[in-house]
Amino acid sequence: MLTRRTLVGAAALMLAAGPAFSQDWKAKYPELTLGVIPAENASGTVDRYTPLTAYLTKELGVPVKLRVANDYAAVIEGQRAGNIQIAFYGPASFARAVITGVKAEPVVNQKHETGVSGYYSVIYVKADSPYKSIEDLKGKSLALVDPNSTSGNQAPRFFLHKAGHDVDKFFGKTFYAGSHENAVLALAQGTADAAANFWNSDTDSNLTRMLAKGMVKNADGTPMKQSDFRVIFKSEFLPEGPFAVLASLPDDLKQKIRQAFIEFPTKDKAAFDKLSDGKDQGLTPVTLKDYQPIIEMLRHNDEQRKRS
């Protein structure tokens, strides 16, 4: 027979057990891994994301280790295998993960200094080159980034195809440089006539970040300037890539990760600023629906490749 005393006692036991239940995930996940696509070269990526892992370690109460992938596909496969619980994707690599069956949930993406959570794909040439338009690059060489890069491959293919240019037939040579930085360096060093890359604004792009670090130099070793490069192609607006979690994680852990990211810009501003060299304004919650246009872009590109 239930009495007031037994009900009160049961409620007290449940309250006492609540925190223990909420921490059950720590037994299965005593350590978490944040996997990051190689948008820039490894040392720069480590420097940029290490403060975030320290912040997440503090907020989640378990060590969060950083894994900088060798290529974009490694993050996809790491999440597929369950070895990467939290990942930073580009929009196209996230879309590829979804298309190929990876069960991942987007959490947030970055809001740039422009006030929007997105960016553009651009194609650069050197300013002293004769190339003034895409049409001038027919038969020339193009440095792409990675097959699963949005701005460095998928978006140029999609939007140039809409403009009547098949990338593989229009350019005399295309190659994957491996990172956004390597694509710019290929252009600067003359091993490519043009390079695809990401662009947030005139004052925030992979190029401006590289120039600020003194990474791009003339043949005589003098630093190059932004005016040494010219944009001759700019895509339509693209949603910024997400931080995503495995859908299979316990709900309370996923909620804790979401909350940590939402609070990140204010709780640890220095670490947040490190992600964008102080350019970003904050983080925006996102859902799978936000990436549906990118999923359709990849499906279109896949279909075109099959036809070719």
Side-chain angles (χ1 to χ4, degrees):
M1 181 179 185
L2 289 176
T3 66
R4 184 175 183 275
R5 179 177 295 177
T6 56
L7 286 172
V8 170
L13 284 172
M14 289 176 65
L15 286 171
F21 281 126
S22 68
Q23 299 301 316
D24 279 352
W25 60 264
K26 289 186 177 180
K28 185 175 181 180
Y29 298 100
E31 180 177 294
L32 298 168
T33 297
L34 168 65
V36 177
I37 58 170
E40 58 190 324
N41 294 338
S43 61
T45 307
V46 169
D47 184 55
R48 196 174 295 280
Y49 284 89
T50 294
L52 170 57
T53 58
Y55 165 79
L56 290 174
T57 293
K58 179 182 176 182
E59 293 299 308
L60 302 179
V62 296
V64 178
K65 304 298 184 184
L66 177 64
R67 182 183 300 177
V68 180
N70 292 327
D71 58 27
Y72 286 52
V75 174
I76 298 172
E77 296 311 314
Q79 284 227 294
R80 190 189 312 282
N83 299 324
I84 294 175
Q85 294 80 35
I86 311 168
F88 175 67
Y89 286 104
S93 52
F94 177 70
R96 180 65 67 198
V98 171
I99 288 171
T100 58
V102 176
K103 304 301 183 185
E105 298 175 3
V107 178
V108 294
N109 65 8
Q110 292 157 265
K111 181 188 291 185
H112 301 308
E113 64 176 4
T114 53
V116 295
S117 300
Y119 66 118
Y120 301 86
S121 169
V122 296
I123 292 178
Y124 288 108
V125 296
K126 292 177 72 173
D128 62 2
S129 75
Y131 314 123
K132 300 294 194 300
S133 69
I134 281 293
E135 285 68 26
D136 295 334
L137 287 172
K138 184 173 178 60
K140 305 302 179 182
S141 59
L142 172 67
L144 298 168
V145 173
D146 180 280
N148 288 304
S149 169
T150 314
S151 63
N153 183 50
Q154 296 290 347
R157 288 182 182 278
F158 180 75
F159 290 108
L160 286 177
H161 187 266
K162 283 180 67 174
H165 305 306
D166 183 320
V167 165
D168 293 319
K169 296 176 182 177
F170 179 77
F171 292 95
K173 175 186 177 183
T174 60
F175 63 93
Y176 294 113
S179 73
H180 289 84
E181 289 182 344
N182 286 347
V184 169
L185 292 174
L187 173 59
Q189 294 164 5
T191 56
D193 297 307
N197 235 267
F198 74 79
W199 186 95
N200 299 329
S201 68
D202 282 331
T203 56
D204 185 25
S205 64
N206 178 55
L207 176 61
T208 60
R209 295 177 188 184
M210 292 178 69
L211 293 171
K213 292 187 283 188
M215 293 180 64
V216 194
K217 302 182 186 304
N218 292 298
D220 62 3
T222 57
M224 297 185 77
K225 304 181 295 294
Q226 191 170 354
S227 59
D228 291 322
F229 298 87
R230 177 167 58 242
V231 172
I232 62 168
F233 163 82
K234 182 180 175 184
S235 75
E236 295 176 19
F237 184 78
L238 304 163
E240 184 55 77
F243 287 93
V245 296
L246 284 178
S248 59
L249 294 180
D251 287 342
D252 52 347
L253 173 55
K254 287 191 289 187
Q255 180 55 38
K256 200 169 182 67
I257 294 170
R258 287 178 185 276
Q259 194 63 30
F261 272 111
I262 289 169
E263 296 175 348
F264 181 38
T266 52
K267 268 197 169 181
D268 194 338
K269 188 175 187 304
F272 174 72
D273 286 347
K274 191 73 175 177
L275 290 180
S276 67
D277 298 334
K279 298 289 187 180
D280 286 349
Q281 294 183 359
L283 295 171
T284 303
V286 289
T287 66
L288 182 59
K289 184 179 179 181
D290 294 303
Y291 296 95
Q292 199 59 44
I294 306 299
I295 290 171
E296 295 307 316
M297 175 192 294
L298 263 65
R299 286 177 172 154
H300 175 275
N301 288 351
D302 290 349
E303 183 61 32
Q304 292 303 314
R305 188 175 64 252
K306 288 176 185 176
R307 291 179 180 178
S308 297

